Amino acid sequence: MTSLLNDTALNPLLDRPALAMLRQVWLQQFQRELSGLGVTQIKLRAQEDTPPAESRRCTPHEAEARASIKRHTRWQGYKVHFTECCDEAGPRLITHVKTTPATQPDVQVNDTIQTELIARALRPETHLVDAGYLSGDGLVESQARGIDLVGPLRESSSWQSRTADAFDLSAFVIQWEQRQVTCPEGQVSTMWSERSLSWTRRPAVQVKFSASSCRNCSVQSRCTRAKSGVRTLGFPDRVTFEALQKARERAGQAEFHLWPDPKAWTLSSRDSIQG
C-alpha cells in the first residue's frame, strides 16, 4: 500500500474497488507511530480511535459486514431475522427471512418485514415479536396495516420508574384536549410543546411545570432531581401513547406471560412469530 501511495505511476491503482476497500479497512483499524528510536511501527487503533460501528468495516472481503454486540454475544457480519407461522393446527413454516447489517436495530426492521409479507399475500393478523422489535411507531403503523403487533415492552429507564415511591409518568394525568398535565399533587403544567424527534417518525410532547409549584412542593424529592428543581415530562403523541398504554395493559394479563410458546395463544392461521 505504501508503494502504491509513493509511486505516482501506481497511484491510479488505488481507485480499484478492492484496493480502495483494503486501504479503508487498514486506515480504520491500524495506525503508524514513530518509536523513540525513530522507527515506524504499525499498531492496532484503540477502540475510541476507530469510527462508529455502523461505518467501520470489519474486512476488505465483505463491504457490508459490521461488528456488533448484544448482551454477552459479540460477532462480525450480519443479523438475520426469521418470521415463521405458528398456527397450532398447521406446520411451522418460515415465511420470511431478512438479512440486515449487524448494527441495525431490530426495531427498524418491522416496517420492511410487514410490507414484504403483505406484498406476498402473507399478512399476519397477529405478529408476535420480542422487545427489541416493539416501539410506539411500530404499534401504530402495524395497526394501520391491519396487523396486531404483540410483544413485551422495554421497561422505562427513568429513575422514577425504578424507585418504589417516586412519581413516574403513570402518576400524572394527561388532558389531551386542554393540552395540559396534572401532577399527583394537583398542580397543572404551564408549558406544552410538540416537536419532532430524530429517532421517531411521529411527534412527541414535552410539558413543564412552574418553578414556584415544584420548588415549594413537599414531595419534590420523589418527583425530580433536576438542578432547576422543576419537573418536565416527555411522551409521544396521543395515538402512539394510547397504543403503548394498550400494549402495557395486555402485558399485565396472565396469558401474555406464556409467550413465546405459540401453543399458549389463541392464534389464527395467519399469525406469525418473529425473532
Side-chain angles (χ1 to χ4, degrees):
M1 191 66 68
T2 301
S3 298
L4 293 175
L5 287 169
N6 293 336
D7 191 329
T8 55
L10 297 177
N11 281 169
L13 293 175
L14 292 172
D15 294 330
R16 295 192 176 185
L19 287 174
M21 175 73 72
L22 178 62
R23 185 181 182 217
Q24 185 180 40
V25 171
W26 196 98
L27 290 172
Q28 289 181 345
Q29 304 287 346
F30 301 94
Q31 62 184 356
R32 289 188 179 91
E33 286 187 356
L34 284 176
S35 68
L37 299 175
V39 178
T40 300
Q41 297 178 327
I42 306 300
K43 291 188 176 182
L44 192 67
R45 290 184 183 275
Q47 182 69 28
E48 61 271 15
D49 194 33
T50 59
E54 59 268 22
S55 59
R56 186 172 67 248
R57 301 186 187 278
C58 302
T59 169
H61 307 293
E62 191 68 34
E64 301 301 324
R66 297 289 185 270
S68 190
I69 179 172
K70 189 170 186 178
R71 288 184 282 275
H72 303 296
T73 302
R74 296 174 181 269
W75 76 97
Q76 294 182 348
Y78 300 86
K79 282 183 183 177
V80 181
H81 307 265
F82 290 94
T83 304
E84 64 176 320
C85 59
C86 49
D87 179 12
E88 60 183 0
R92 299 285 291 275
L93 301 175
I94 293 175
T95 56
H96 189 276
V97 179
K98 185 68 178 179
T99 302
T100 65
T103 54
Q104 182 174 353
D106 296 342
V107 73
Q108 296 180 1
V109 188
N110 266 345
D111 181 71
T112 300
I113 291 174
Q114 292 184 355
T115 299
E116 292 179 0
L117 284 171
I118 291 171
R120 296 168 54 209
L122 293 173
R123 179 177 61 192
E125 292 178 359
T126 303
H127 192 180
L128 308 181
V129 297
D130 69 25
Y133 295 88
L134 201 63
S135 70
D137 284 350
L139 288 166
V140 174
E141 291 165 2
S142 296
Q143 186 178 36
R145 298 185 184 107
I147 298 173
D148 185 17
L149 186 65
V150 180
L153 284 167
R154 293 179 182 272
E155 294 183 1
S156 171
S157 59
S158 72
W159 70 265
Q160 292 96 336
S161 298
R162 293 179 277 106
T163 305
D165 63 345
F167 300 130
D168 64 4
L169 180 60
S170 65
F172 293 76
V173 178
I174 303 174
Q175 288 108 17
W176 296 98
E177 289 79 8
Q178 291 78 19
R179 294 167 60 88
Q180 64 185 28
V181 176
T182 302
C183 81
E185 293 296 293
Q187 298 296 325
V188 178
S189 60
T190 56
M191 185 202 78
W192 174 294
S193 64
E194 297 182 6
R195 57 199 177 98
S196 297
L197 301 174
S198 59
W199 59 87
T200 180
R201 293 181 292 276
R202 301 186 64 83
V205 178
Q206 185 175 39
V207 301
K208 186 176 182 180
F209 290 83
S210 70
S212 58
S213 297
C214 290
R215 290 170 184 167
N216 297 323
C217 182
S218 61
V219 293
Q220 184 196 47
S221 62
R222 296 167 57 190
C223 191
T224 182
R225 294 175 180 171
K227 290 182 179 180
S228 65
V230 176
R231 181 64 186 268
T232 59
L233 294 171
F235 45 88
D237 69 289
R238 185 172 186 172
V239 173
T240 307
F241 184 87
E242 292 178 349
L244 287 166
Q245 287 292 94
K246 181 180 178 181
R248 288 191 182 94
E249 290 170 4
R250 177 156 52 184
Q253 297 172 2
E255 61 268 25
F256 179 88
H257 298 283
L258 297 174
W259 185 84
D261 180 5
K263 292 182 179 179
W265 292 75
T266 302
L267 299 171
S268 76
S269 61
R270 301 186 67 188
D271 292 334
S272 66
I273 187 168
Q274 180 180 314

